[in-house]
Amino acid sequence: MRHDTAGRRARLRAGAKLGIYIHLTAYVAVNLVLVGVNLSTTPQYLWFLWPLLGWGIGLFAHWFAVFVGPRLMRRLVEQELEKEHQGR
């Protein structure tokens, strides 16, 4: 049973990491197209920066949730458990 749970958690983590890599690939591909369209049509106004920035913020949030969030949550839970243990 425990091995099953560890395997499930590992698959979830691997899926989350794969998701960020897919998101990053789409971000780069789409924004390269937007840069090309922008520079070939209206090079005097660099509008491609707006979707690059907006989507970049979303991509950063996704990266944070996948790579930083779980470690941060684990550390906070450990701190709370330590406080609980000391309080008894």
Side-chain angles (χ1 to χ4, degrees):
M1 178 75 159
R2 186 174 185 169
H3 178 69
D4 220 20
T5 303
R8 204 168 322 132
R9 281 195 322 262
R11 281 190 297 282
L12 285 172
R13 285 192 309 268
K17 289 178 182 179
L18 179 60
I20 190 75
Y21 299 139
I22 290 169
H23 191 175
L24 178 62
T25 301
Y27 173 80
V28 170
V30 169
N31 281 293
L32 282 173
V33 170
L34 292 177
V35 169
V37 169
N38 182 185
L39 296 179
S40 66
T41 58
T42 54
Q44 64 277 10
Y45 177 62
L46 302 179
W47 53 259
F48 76 87
L49 294 172
W50 296 111
L52 189 80
L53 177 65
W55 194 350
I57 291 169
L59 183 60
F60 174 78
H62 190 173
W63 169 84
F64 188 90
V66 170
F67 290 104
V68 179
R71 286 188 211 133
L72 180 59
M73 177 67 117
R74 197 170 319 124
R75 191 172 79 219
L76 292 172
V77 167
E78 288 170 2
Q79 287 174 356
E80 290 301 318
L81 286 171
E82 184 62 31
K83 285 180 190 176
E84 187 75 24
H85 181 69
Q86 289 174 357
R88 288 185 177 185

